């Protein structure tokens, strides 16, 4: 992927990501006091039982689940949200503290929901570490 621009998200972008994530709170029956592992388990069950009827619904849930997942990664591992601009797209990702790895959460959940990727976000979450070896190059986790 050719990256033209990479920056920390703005306050407005962060507010939108938080709004999207919070849309799932009533559906998943969660609140801000839930542990990350409980939220991830509820997300897993929700994704496994989700029946999507159209592309608009698919995109809606991909943005909401991706936002919630990214926020959990940021909270647990100290990652930050970033905006990536490529020649063809504008994306949001969470990136490790030294920008050694990132996860494009919305696209990741889109691929899970449209069944082109297995539902393994819990495994990915558990494989993330706070500190990466110095010789790692920037890589996208998916």
């Amino acid at each position: 992927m050719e990256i033209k621009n990479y920056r920390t998200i703005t306050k407005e972008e962060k507010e939108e990501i938080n709004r999207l994530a919070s849309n799932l709170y009533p559906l998943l029956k969660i609140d801000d006091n839930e542990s990350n592992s409980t939220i991830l388990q509820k997300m897993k069950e929700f994704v496994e039982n989700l029946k999507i009827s159209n592309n608009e619904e698919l995109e809606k849930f991909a943005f909401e689940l991706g936002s919630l997942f990214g926020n959990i990664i940021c909270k647990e591992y100290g990652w930050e949200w970033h905006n990536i601009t490529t020649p063809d797209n504008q994306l949001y990702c969470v990136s490790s503290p030294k920008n050694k790895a990132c996860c494009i959460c919305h696209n990741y959940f889109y691929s899970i929901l449209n069944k082109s990727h297995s539902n393994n976000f819990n495994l990915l979450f558990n494989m993330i570490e706070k500190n990466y070896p110095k010789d790692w190059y920037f890589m996208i986790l998916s």
Side-chain angles (χ1 to χ4, degrees):
M1 173 187 328
E2 179 187 343
I3 298 175
K4 290 175 64 176
N5 187 29
Y6 181 77
R7 63 170 173 78
T8 304
I9 62 171
T10 65
K11 179 184 175 200
E12 292 78 19
E13 289 169 321
K14 179 63 176 163
E15 288 170 353
E16 178 64 8
I17 287 169
N18 289 341
R19 184 191 68 76
L20 289 167
S22 69
N23 286 348
L24 288 175
Y25 284 31
L27 284 171
L28 301 178
K29 297 181 176 113
I30 59 174
D31 60 51
D32 288 328
N33 298 321
E34 302 261 10
S35 70
N36 289 336
S37 60
T38 300
I39 295 171
L40 289 167
Q41 183 57 40
K42 289 181 178 185
M43 287 174 68
K44 182 177 185 250
E45 291 168 9
F46 179 78
V47 169
E48 288 173 352
N49 295 309
L50 184 62
K51 305 288 186 250
I52 295 177
S53 59
N54 58 53
N55 198 48
E56 185 177 302
E57 196 173 51
L58 177 81
E59 288 182 14
K60 172 190 174 299
F61 283 118
F63 277 111
E64 291 173 348
L65 288 161
S67 294
L68 182 56
F69 186 63
N71 281 349
I72 292 170
I73 292 172
C74 290
K75 181 180 171 186
E76 183 77 19
Y77 296 112
W79 290 30
E80 289 187 320
W81 280 100
H82 286 86
N83 176 292
I84 300 173
T85 305
T86 69
D88 303 322
N89 231 335
Q90 181 176 344
L91 311 163
Y92 293 93
C93 73
V94 291
S95 178
S96 63
K98 294 181 181 177
N99 297 333
K100 296 286 186 176
C102 80
C103 178
I104 303 173
C105 300
H106 303 116
N107 294 37
Y108 180 56
F109 270 91
Y110 186 90
S111 70
I112 290 171
L113 295 176
N114 76 7
K115 309 288 190 222
S116 63
H117 199 275
S118 62
N119 183 7
N120 62 357
F121 67 90
N122 265 335
L123 176 62
L124 174 63
F125 180 82
N126 290 321
M127 290 174 60
I128 295 173
E129 296 179 19
K130 282 188 178 182
N131 298 309
Y132 290 90
K134 291 179 183 175
D135 59 345
W136 274 28
Y137 296 99
F138 188 84
M139 64 180 288
I140 296 175
L141 303 174
S142 64

